[in-house]
Amino acid sequence: MGSLPYSSAAFYVAFLFAISCLSFLPGVALANHGPITRHYRFDIKLQNVTRLCHTKSMLTVNGKFPGPVITAREGDRVLIKVVNHVNNNVSFHWHGIRQLRSGWADGPAYITQCPIQTGQSYVYNFTTVGQRGTLFWHAHISWLRATLYGPIIILPKHNVSYPFGKPHKEIPIIFGEWWNADTEAVINQALQNGAGPNVSDAYTINGLPGPLYNCSQKETFKLKVKPGKTYLLRLINAALNDDLFLSIANHTLTTIEADAVYVKPFKTNILLIAPGQTTNVLLETKHQNPKANFLIAARPYFTGQGTFDNTTTAGILEYHQSNTSSSRGSKSLPLIKPNLPAINDTAYAANFSGKFRSLANVQYPAKVPLAVDKSFFFTVGLGNSPCPKNQTCQGPNGTKFAASVNNISFALPTAAILQSYFFGKSNGVFATDFPSTPLFPFNYTGTPPNNTIVSNGTKVVVLPFNTSVEVVLQDTSILGAESHPLHLHGYNFFVVGQGFGNFNPKNDTANFNLVDPVERNTVGVPSGGWVAIRFFADNPGAWFMHCHFEVHLSWGLKMVWIVLDGKLPNQKLPPPPADLPKC
């Protein structure tokens, strides 16, 4: 045999050189398992999709419904290039991502950016700082999120384990809606005539309505499991307008995370999940094959006065069959169905949401603001706006439906608020006199006042950097009490208290939980009640807070916080990227 071209030593040196070169390539993680950059491309295009024997051309990301999963690890940088190939303006929100000093990537149209116009593109650029768990992305303009949505999964850093046993498998389960109609036409018609909008035709699990709807037997989500295993289910409510009760027949679920924050585990047979909320649960399968299939069912929790989609979406939990005729055998098995609460079971809803507690341990502390610099009391609910002259309106008593915070129905500007603020051009775009309490106090959950007309404006609250903030969100019974899932962009907050009736500062504050309150980005304001949240304003930028019922968002139940820069360089908002869309 001839001699090798390299000695062992020379080969080793060459190998080391090759490895060192690799370390300079973007997105290549070596043995140190440090953060990497992850690249995604979203092509917004029309796609024909069929559900309930109805085919429609609808907006999709990369032709998929629901859209693709974004996966990252805690600390990773994520770059998502969105290319708009359709006639609609689009923008995207990465729901629950803190966006620390990256407010230009937050996404709500006319708040942090102008929308991406036809033929244009924009690269969303953010880093997953101090977060791990399940979130989701969705369009944030008009009602386009009806079809433009998908999961975000943030895994823990390498060599950091879950605070629970490693599951056998992880499955994202995202709840949405199917509309036979074009949702843009639905909301445009409602805003024109002032009435409540038409409702969806079905709820969906991972885009599939399930067997309880006509012409939908084949469009059913199936969760196939093995006996004696633990599955991590990443549950996301991406529906437009409905809280959902959820249950898997004859199976108990262990709740271990809410809105990408670990919680003290608790067992439940029925979950409530509001639009904008995510909940991770552990499903422990039965130790032996039960020789049955089990329905996974979700239907709305609804407390309002209007119409709603009173249907049930369902999937099927199937145990792995060992015999060769597994598919035929599975169909002949009995199907066990769960029991769900009454549609308007507010007592169950309040009891369930009250079970959530932060881990509040050394590794995952609950950094609750104990002292409060600024307190706010916000009423949230419905109202009316006058019918324009020479027009007939179909809202209450010939008016138009409206919604408001402290009786101000937020009017979207035609320029982006963050840009206007950053460049000091706020005149004519927004005013800074949003009231910290209602201008006209009344019995919020009792008999409504005679005048239920809302005022309109583009008003914001300005906060100095690192202010500790407390906000009490009070539901009102104007046009009926109703639950409201309130979402705050750019922040997590601690839910320090909740109750029914009118908030009483003296009595209710004394009962606040300042030890281990749950940390969330979306909270349900109880129907006919209140909820209190606290957070540190430690993220400079313009941050949207709004009801995650899309109809209430369209009617004006929204406002904006502007958080000023701090003194240090790492406390300031950087300038906008060069490709930020223009209005």
Side-chain angles (χ1 to χ4, degrees):
M1 288 180 65
S3 61
L4 291 170
Y6 293 99
S7 68
S8 297
F11 178 81
Y12 185 65
V13 170
F15 175 75
L16 284 181
F17 177 76
I19 288 293
S20 69
C21 289
L22 270 178
S23 66
F24 293 104
L25 292 176
V28 174
L30 299 176
N32 67 358
H33 295 309
I36 64 171
T37 299
R38 297 177 186 255
H39 296 267
Y40 289 88
R41 181 180 167 112
F42 279 16
D43 284 294
I44 315 308
K45 53 188 181 183
L46 290 168
Q47 181 76 31
N48 282 344
V49 179
T50 302
R51 300 286 187 271
L52 312 181
C53 285
H54 182 94
T55 301
K56 62 186 261 189
S57 177
M58 66 189 205
L59 269 61
T60 63
V61 171
N62 302 343
K64 295 180 178 179
F65 171 70
V69 179
I70 287 179
T71 305
R73 283 196 183 274
E74 181 185 343
D76 284 353
R77 185 178 176 214
V78 182
L79 298 176
I80 304 151
K81 182 174 185 177
V82 175
V83 186
N84 186 5
H85 303 280
V86 297
N87 290 330
N88 306 71
N89 288 347
V90 297
S91 73
F92 283 86
H93 173 51
W94 320 96
H95 183 111
I97 295 286
R98 282 292 317 271
Q99 298 293 3
L100 290 165
R101 299 179 62 237
S102 57
W104 305 107
D106 191 48
Y110 303 105
I111 307 298
T112 59
Q113 67 167 93
C114 300
I116 306 165
Q117 298 177 32
T118 307
Q120 303 295 309
S121 67
Y122 179 47
V123 177
Y124 290 92
N125 179 354
F126 57 86
T127 302
T128 55
V129 180
Q131 292 183 277
R132 78 294 305 164
T134 305
L135 297 168
F136 73 117
W137 58 264
H138 59 79
H140 212 305
I141 181 169
S142 192
W143 279 25
L144 297 190
R145 77 175 183 89
T147 61
L148 298 175
Y149 64 85
I152 298 175
I153 296 171
I154 307 173
L155 300 169
K157 292 178 180 177
H158 281 288
N159 302 322
V160 176
S161 58
Y162 294 132
F164 46 85
K166 190 173 189 297
H168 173 67
K169 204 172 179 183
E170 303 183 7
I171 300 112
I173 297 177
I174 190 161
F175 298 94
E177 290 157 334
W178 172 261
W179 300 70
N180 285 336
D182 172 14
T183 50
E184 290 303 278
V186 169
I187 184 55
N188 289 340
Q189 180 186 18
L191 293 176
Q192 182 70 27
N193 64 29
N198 292 338
V199 300
S200 56
D201 296 279
Y203 298 105
T204 57
I205 302 176
N206 289 354
L208 303 170
L212 304 184
Y213 295 100
N214 289 335
C215 196
S216 187
Q217 201 72 32
K218 293 179 181 177
E219 295 159 357
T220 299
F221 169 72
K222 292 187 177 175
L223 178 57
K224 300 191 177 183
V225 299
K226 294 179 179 178
K229 301 287 185 185
T230 300
Y231 293 80
L232 173 60
L233 308 183
R234 298 176 175 272
L235 308 174
I236 302 163
N237 187 350
L240 289 189
N241 292 314
D242 289 287
D243 298 304
L244 293 171
F245 286 125
L246 160 73
S247 185
I248 302 177
N250 283 20
H251 286 74
T252 300
L253 302 170
T254 304
T255 305
I256 44 89
E257 182 200 295
D259 292 357
V261 182
Y262 297 131
V263 297
K264 288 185 172 75
F266 67 91
K267 293 185 181 299
T268 184
N269 296 322
I270 302 164
L271 287 112
L272 174 66
I273 184 166
Q277 289 185 334
T278 60
T279 308
N280 281 6
V281 297
L282 297 177
L283 165 69
E284 292 183 29
T285 57
K286 300 182 183 302
H287 289 292
Q288 292 180 326
N289 195 317
K291 300 292 190 286
N293 291 329
F294 303 89
L295 209 65
I296 306 165
R299 78 170 185 209
Y301 160 61
F302 183 79
T303 55
Q305 303 294 309
T307 55
F308 66 102
D309 182 352
N310 187 8
T311 62
T312 304
T313 183
I316 297 175
L317 178 70
E318 291 183 356
Y319 277 77
H320 179 71
Q321 304 289 320
S322 55
N323 59 22
T324 51
S325 59
S326 58
S327 60
R328 205 179 320 124
S330 176
K331 288 178 183 174
S332 63
L333 293 173
L335 179 61
I336 315 291
K337 298 180 180 178
N339 292 316
L340 288 167
I343 292 286
N344 61 350
D345 195 339
T346 293
Y348 187 92
N351 182 49
F352 177 77
S353 59
K355 291 180 180 179
F356 287 85
R357 294 280 186 274
S358 287
L359 279 184
N361 59 20
V362 174
Q363 191 175 4
Y364 303 105
K367 297 177 181 175
V368 193
L370 300 179
V372 174
D373 298 326
K374 294 209 171 185
S375 295
F376 298 87
F377 182 81
F378 288 172
T379 55
V380 294
L382 303 187
N384 317 79
S385 59
C387 190
K389 284 184 179 178
N390 304 320
Q391 188 181 328
T392 303
C393 294
Q394 298 171 18
N397 301 317
T399 64
K400 285 188 166 193
F401 272 110
S404 65
V405 181
N406 277 354
N407 205 49
I408 294 173
S409 187
F410 188 90
L412 269 185
T414 53
I417 286 177
L418 182 59
Q419 224 171 337
S420 307
Y421 154 70
F422 187 85
F423 292 110
K425 298 177 180 176
S426 61
N427 273 357
V429 178
F430 63 87
T432 58
D433 58 346
F434 191 93
S436 57
T437 57
L439 297 178
F440 304 103
F442 61 98
N443 181 2
Y444 306 114
T445 54
T447 305
N450 292 330
N451 182 7
T452 59
I453 299 292
V454 302
S455 61
N456 292 282
T458 309
K459 298 173 183 283
V460 309
V461 173
V462 179
L463 295 171
F465 183 81
N466 218 29
T467 303
S468 58
V469 179
E470 178 181 287
V471 188
V472 174
L473 299 159
Q474 172 75 59
D475 182 37
T476 64
S477 56
I478 297 175
L479 306 186
E482 192 168 351
S483 169
H484 298 278
L486 259 288
H487 172 51
L488 175 59
H489 288 228
Y491 288 91
N492 286 346
F493 50 74
F494 291 96
V495 183
V496 295
Q498 63 177 37
F500 290 111
N502 296 339
F503 175 72
N504 182 316
K506 193 174 180 182
N507 297 344
D508 292 328
T509 306
N511 296 319
F512 280 0
N513 174 9
L514 303 179
V515 178
D516 62 349
V518 68
E519 185 180 348
R520 307 202 71 132
N521 63 59
T522 304
V523 66
V525 179
S527 177
W530 57 270
V531 65
I533 65 173
R534 288 186 180 184
F535 63 95
F536 287 107
D538 58 359
N539 191 9
W543 304 109
F544 212 14
M545 188 170 82
H546 61 88
C547 183
H548 223 272
F549 288 152
E550 214 64 17
V551 59
H552 293 174
L553 180 64
S554 300
W555 285 341
L557 209 167
K558 48 197 174 185
M559 56 82 64
V560 172
W561 305 91
I562 287 183
V563 178
L564 303 176
D565 283 348
K567 293 177 181 176
L568 301 176
N570 66 350
Q571 297 171 343
K572 297 182 191 301
L573 179 69
D579 65 337
L580 187 73
K582 294 176 173 57
C583 284

